[in-house]
């Protein structure tokens, strides 16, 4: 049944071999009892079809999810995708391996406009993935590659990162060449490798436990890690090294369980040598393979000669297949790993403060980017906060399960020790060694990406699921639900909002408000905009990121390639609450067409990032009930503001009405618990007012709290007046103006609170003073008729206070 090319007579020792196989089967039975066996009816679904058929269905689901992510991520916006693609592109174009550039080389390339050389920054990587990719894209010409390499200077030159997740500018014009075909070819190549990874992980999990439900759950969990789905459909050599490491662990478990089969030694040697020629961070596999050989030798699965054959084959294969690469590094850079040359290009001294804070500070970033991160570290696209909390919960549950499982294994008879330890140690080492490699690399180079742990998924995920199985048994698969949901919806809820592209429309929609304001000395014109919601309920716990996007309609272009700045302004004080500068639709404005109307979506949530929210209200921002306006400006170098002109050719700023953030919960509570104190012309009603101070000692102001209920659309110039009279009815002071920055032109039906502060004369005589309120139009100073218990000149008398001597 088993074959060894060195010593076939070894297996005649049937007593020893039978004992070891029995131990292995005993451990598999232990795992099956804990992860859910065939006798558990809720897992019948796994057995109605053949396991390989179910695994193929999971692969199909994974392909659909990964393609959905790939379709949502613009070309080159996946993490480091441009640099990886340029490596393969360079191999096809020049036929020679690239050298590691210096920072001066990159600066020189940028100065002469050689964008391909400027962004070819993965030359330190071994070439296997790129050589295979070069063969695949060799039929394409890629003559328009430079069109895809227009960097977003808002990030790299101006340092404007908020709202700029895109590293590149994307022309809305149709491509003139077939670079996009080459990019998608390599994306599909990566996806094929990822499918191989999933299959190896499935087989490895089954070999480790003998449980089909367990292995399928491991496969499904891996497939639905959102970052894995994103990287799997991008141009990245992590996909090849992850597949090779998974295959190496699978073959190690095969040897540990069945001994050395025909040609296993050659397969293992080929896999390890391929890893050495793909990415150095995967070389940890050699230690796991060595551990597996030692355990197999200890348990009598292989002979000493078998182990030596495998070790020798690995050494010879690695030297023959990958040795030339490391010899080349030694010749060019003075060491086989080119550490100094790589560090000179990617060392931590070049990392900006927002990206690098030392290993301890970067652990949360590594953790988050392992589970869900799209794009680049300069401004990564993260998922919803609840998902990262869910990931922590899943890991904590696995840890609790592992404690229980370890105690259970410790209680078993000693005769099962060799079988249980062998499998567990292979998985543990496969999970921990990639972490060690990441720590080693991160100390020297700013590479704190969680995806660098993916070669260890073949150990990490089985250990995770094994912990779940101890706690939940047959229901363990349910814990994959958060992963499946997030991976399925993130193209629409996470990725597309972060990378809003331009859409072409035939005409300005009827719902849009025309503007026809253009940038001076160009044809770039803002044709109109979609009106934003009139109000946004603040309420308790309502955060500023609820701000709706701004939709603009553009046409024309400007050779200066200006970017658009959008700012929130408080209507009450003109306070700038925050601003964001970006290229509409991530497109260079010098590439737009005069004959096309574009719809651009501008996310406005980053504008309010400076506001701090506590339990009751926003701090540092005058927006609690203030009217927010949007100001549009065009900039060319981070500071130069371009003039805009309307149809009258007069310079003008673009000031748009935005929504009002209202304290709806507080106002609604007040309305529901108080009576109507006054009604003004059927337009607005006043609920029980509160004169805050019964007594005032000068020099202090009088404070009045008001709650208004808006019933109908008012005149646009309607203004509130709060007046104070002495005991003889003579006018003393007043405070006129809009409701706390909420002008009547912005009113919508509903309640709103207002606080009035009336400055009192310092020489005011002691006595009793009356407070009255009313509404008038500024155009003709006519007051709205009022209905109240006490009225004076269409003013409702709402209370009194005493001025003390």
């Amino acid at each position: 049944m088993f074959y060894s090319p060195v010593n076939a007579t070894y297996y005649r020792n049937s007593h020893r071999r039978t004992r070891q196989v029995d131990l292995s089967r005993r451990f598999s039975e232990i795992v099956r009892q804990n992860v859910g066996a065939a006798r558990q009816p809720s897992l019948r679904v796994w057995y109605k079809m053949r396991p390989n058929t179910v695994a193929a269905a999971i692969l199909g689901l994974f392909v659909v999810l990964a393609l959905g992510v790939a379709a949502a991520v613009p070309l080159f916006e996946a993490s480091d995708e441009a640099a990886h693609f340029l490596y393969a592109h360079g191999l096809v174009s020049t036929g020679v391996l690239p050298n590691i550039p210096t920072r001066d080389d990159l600066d020189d390339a940028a100065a002469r406009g050689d964008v391909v050389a400027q962004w070819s920054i993965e030359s330190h990587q071994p070439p296997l993935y790129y050589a295979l990719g070069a063969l695949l894209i060799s039929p394409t010409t890629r003559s328009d590659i430079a069109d895809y390499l227009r960097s977003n200077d808002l990030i790299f030159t101006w340092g404007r990162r908020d709202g700029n997740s895109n590293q590149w500018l994307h022309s809305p014009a149709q491509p003139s060449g077939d670079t996009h075909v080459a990019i998608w070819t390599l994306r599909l190549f990566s996806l094929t490798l990822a499918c191989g990874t999933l299959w190896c992980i499935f087989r490895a999990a089954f070999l480790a436990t003998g449980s089909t439900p367990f292995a399928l759950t491991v496969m499904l969990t891996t497939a639905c890690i959102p970052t894995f789905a994103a990287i799997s459909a991008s141009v990245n050599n992590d996909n090849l090294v992850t597949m090779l490491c998974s295959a190496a662990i699978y073959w190690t478990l095969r040897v540990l369980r069945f001994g050395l089969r025909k040609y296993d030694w050659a397969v293992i040697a080929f896999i390890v040598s391929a890893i050495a020629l793909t990415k150095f961070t995967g070389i940890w596999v050699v230690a796991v393979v060595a551990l597996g050989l030692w355990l197999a030798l200890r348990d009598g699965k292989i002979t000493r000669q078998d182990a030596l054959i495998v070790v020798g084959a690995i050494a010879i294969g690695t030297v023959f297949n990958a040795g030339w690469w490391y010899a080349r590094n030694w010749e060019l850079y003075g060491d086989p790993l080119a550490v100094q040359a790589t560090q000179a290009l990617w060392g931590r001294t070049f990392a900006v403060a927002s990206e690098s804070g030392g290993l301890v500070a970067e652990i949360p970033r590594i953790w988050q980017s392992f589970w869900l991160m799209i794009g680049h570290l300069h401004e990564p696209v993260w998922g919803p906060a609840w998902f990262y909390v869910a990931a922590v919960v899943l890991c904590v549950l696995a840890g609790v399960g592992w404690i229980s499982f370890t105690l259970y294994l410790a209680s078993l008879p000693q005769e099962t020790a060799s079988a249980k330890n062998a499998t567990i140690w292979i998985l543990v080492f496969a999970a921990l060694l990639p972490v060690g490699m990441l720590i080693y690399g991160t100390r020297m180079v700013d590479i704190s990406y969680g995806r660098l742990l993916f070669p260890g998924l073949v150990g990490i995920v089985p250990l995770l699921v094994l912990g779940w199985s101890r706690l939940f048994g047959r229901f363990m698969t349910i814990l994959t639900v958060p992963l499946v949901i997030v991976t399925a919806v993130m193209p629409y809820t996470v990725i597309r909002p972060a990378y809003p592209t331009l859409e072409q429309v035939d005409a300005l929609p009827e719902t849009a408000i025309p503007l026809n304001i253009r940038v001076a000395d160009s044809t770039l014109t803002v044709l109109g905009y979609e009106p934003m919601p009139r109000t946004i309920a603040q309420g308790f716990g309502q955060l500023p990121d609820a701000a709706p996007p701004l939709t603009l309609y553009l046409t024309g272009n400007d050779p200066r390639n200006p970017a658009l700045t959008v700012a929130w302004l408080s209507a009450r004080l003109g306070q700038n609450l925050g601003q964001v500068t970006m290229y509409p639709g991530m497109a260079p404005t010098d590439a737009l067409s005069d004959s096309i109307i574009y719809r651009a979506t501008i996310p406005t949530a980053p504008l309010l990032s400076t506001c701090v929210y506590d339990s009751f209200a926003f701090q540092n921002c005058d927006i609690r009930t203030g009217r927010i306006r949007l100001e549009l400006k065009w900039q060319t170098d981070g500071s130069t503001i371009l003039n805009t002109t309307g149809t009258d050719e007069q310079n003008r700023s673009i000031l748009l009405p935005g929504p009002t953030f209202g304290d709806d919960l507080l106002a609604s509570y007040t309305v529901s618990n108080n009576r109507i104190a006054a009604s003004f012309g059927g337009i607005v009603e006043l609920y029980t007012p509160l004169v805050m101070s019964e007594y005032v000692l000068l020099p202090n102001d009088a404070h009045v709290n008001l709650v208004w209920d808006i019933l109908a659309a008012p005149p646009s110039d309607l203004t509130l007046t709060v007046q104070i009279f002495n005991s003889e009815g003579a006018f003393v002071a007043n405070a006129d103006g809009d409701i706390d920055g909420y002008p009547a032109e912005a009113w919508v039906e509903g309640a709103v609170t207002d606080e009035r502060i009336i400055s009192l004369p310092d020489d005011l005589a002691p006595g009793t003073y009356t407070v009255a309120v009313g509404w008038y139009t500024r155009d003709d100073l006519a007051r709205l008729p009022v209905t109240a218990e006490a009225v004076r000149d269409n003013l409702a008398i709402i209370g009194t206070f005493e001025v003390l001597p």
Side-chain angles (χ1 to χ4, degrees), residues 469-500:
S469 67
R470 180 61 181 170
L471 294 181
F472 299 95
R474 54 184 149 173
F475 301 108
M476 61 183 171
T477 310
I478 296 175
L479 296 182
T480 64
V481 170
L483 301 177
V484 177
I485 292 175
V486 171
T487 306
V489 304
M490 73 176 181
Y492 315 101
T493 61
V494 175
I495 301 176
R496 294 190 189 279
Y499 299 106

Side-chain angles (χ1 to χ4, degrees), residues 578-658:
Q579 66 183 35
V580 63
T581 301
M582 62 181 62
Y583 286 96
M586 304 186 300
T589 48
D590 60 5
L592 305 184
S593 172
D594 293 344
S595 60
I596 297 176
I597 298 176
Y598 304 96
R599 177 165 44 215
T601 301
I602 311 296
T604 59
L607 306 183
L608 299 178
S609 60
T610 58
C611 300
V612 179
Y613 186 83
D614 62 17
S615 301
F616 299 98
F618 291 109
Q619 304 296 318
N620 303 333
C621 292
D622 179 29
I623 68 173
R624 189 172 61 86
T625 54
R627 181 65 172 165
I628 307 303
R629 293 183 181 273
L630 290 161
E631 182 184 25
L632 309 184
K633 299 180 290 187
W634 293 95
Q635 299 181 261
T636 56
D637 59 5
S639 59
T640 300
I641 308 298
L642 301 183
N643 291 330
T644 56
T645 59
T647 54
D648 54 4
E649 297 299 321
Q650 297 297 314
N651 291 341
R652 56 184 297 189
S653 61
I654 308 178
L655 202 60
L656 308 179

